[in-house]
Amino acid sequence: MTASELRTLHHGRTPADPLVLPGPWDAVSARVLADAGFPALATPSAGVAASLGYADGATPAAEMFAAVERIARAVSVPVSADIEAGYGLAPGELVERLLAAGAVGCNLEDTVDGVLVDARWQADRLAGVRAAAGDELFVNARVDTYVTGVPEGTDPEAETVRRALLYVAAGADGVYPIAAPAEALPRLAAAVPVPLNALAVPGGPGPRGLGELGAARVTFGPGLQRRAMAALGEFAAAL
């Protein structure tokens, strides 16, 4: 369970075979997914929050890291942790807590308190994380231009590429333009020299389709947790 293993999984893939990382929200869901044969897992902050009784974005840092630790301890495959914007922790402490929890990768988003942060500030933060982590973390830089929004008159795709390139220069191993439209993925993948993470959503392209559009990595956010809860609700209603 090393960052090197996780990093290797992202490379050398064919368009029809992106790295699919389902998102466990607790230890038992992690075991189910690992037993199904997935080579790595990526926790969703919203799914973990829901399992702990919090709204998305409201989980205290200590509880999020504790949940990640339970998930990582439950499986023998690499685990990447969605840690939102980093909970205001300095890069060194953030890395220390991730590694102590057993994570070998992380998502770091560029929205703080609902506001898209300055891209160069975020790049400096990512550089600090990279320096503190060395090669021990796969750092997936989330670009929130399509969810938080960009200033009026700014082209979202051009701003996504600008941010992505700054984050790659700062040491990011991958870039995650969350909720980017499917038609933009081929251009984003061509412009960004690291693995591109795409979000699979109901009604959109599946993992194979996203891979053919340029995604090297596919995640689901809290989608699996919500699907599981919907199935439980249907079962409860039938009872």
Side-chain angles (χ1 to χ4, degrees), residues 140-157:
N140 198 36
R142 203 177 97 172
V143 183
D144 284 3
T145 43
Y146 290 102
V147 290
T148 305
V150 296
E152 187 174 352
T154 301
D155 178 66
E157 189 172 314

Side-chain angles (χ1 to χ4, degrees), residues 153-238:
T154 301
D155 178 66
E157 189 172 314
E159 179 63 9
T160 299
V161 170
R162 184 181 78 88
R163 287 174 173 265
L165 293 178
L166 284 171
Y167 301 164
V168 171
D173 295 287
V175 170
Y176 181 17
I178 185 171
E183 60 271 17
L185 292 177
R187 296 187 295 273
L188 294 174
V192 178
V194 295
L196 192 77
N197 187 158
L199 176 69
V201 296
R208 183 184 297 271
L210 291 169
E212 291 170 345
L213 289 168
R217 163 174 165 156
V218 175
T219 52
F220 302 85
L224 300 185
Q225 189 266 345
R226 290 172 180 171
R227 183 170 179 174
M229 293 306 100
L232 178 59
E234 291 175 6
F235 181 72

Side-chain angles (χ1 to χ4, degrees), residues 2-238:
T2 67
S4 177
E5 290 177 88
L6 181 59
R7 199 171 283 113
T8 298
L9 288 171
H10 287 77
H11 294 279
R13 312 197 71 89
T14 65
D17 182 35
L19 177 61
V20 177
L21 298 181
W25 54 94
D26 59 12
V28 68
S29 61
R31 289 194 196 101
V32 168
L33 295 170
D35 288 347
F38 290 98
L41 305 174
T43 69
S45 61
V48 173
S51 75
L52 296 174
Y54 294 102
D56 185 18
T59 309
E63 294 198 43
M64 183 62 76
F65 286 113
V68 170
E69 183 175 9
R70 289 191 293 272
I71 289 168
R73 190 173 62 237
V75 297
S76 58
V77 298
V79 173
S80 179
D82 182 348
I83 50 169
E84 303 174 302
Y87 309 108
L89 299 173
E93 183 179 358
L94 187 62
V95 169
E96 182 180 349
R97 295 182 73 168
L98 277 165
L99 296 177
V104 297
C106 68
N107 279 2
L108 267 176
E109 63 191 53
D110 58 2
T111 295
V112 176
D113 296 330
V115 177
L116 200 63
V117 301
D118 177 78
R120 293 191 180 278
W121 181 90
Q122 180 70 356
D124 288 344
R125 181 163 169 74
L126 287 165
V129 170
R130 176 85 286 151
D135 291 332
E136 293 188 76
L137 283 177
F138 183 101
V139 179
N140 198 36
R142 203 177 97 172
V143 183
D144 284 3
T145 43
Y146 290 102
V147 290
T148 305
V150 296
E152 187 174 352
T154 301
D155 178 66
E157 189 172 314
E159 179 63 9
T160 299
V161 170
R162 184 181 78 88
R163 287 174 173 265
L165 293 178
L166 284 171
Y167 301 164
V168 171
D173 295 287
V175 170
Y176 181 17
I178 185 171
E183 60 271 17
L185 292 177
R187 296 187 295 273
L188 294 174
V192 178
V194 295
L196 192 77
N197 187 158
L199 176 69
V201 296
R208 183 184 297 271
L210 291 169
E212 291 170 345
L213 289 168
R217 163 174 165 156
V218 175
T219 52
F220 302 85
L224 300 185
Q225 189 266 345
R226 290 172 180 171
R227 183 170 179 174
M229 293 306 100
L232 178 59
E234 291 175 6
F235 181 72

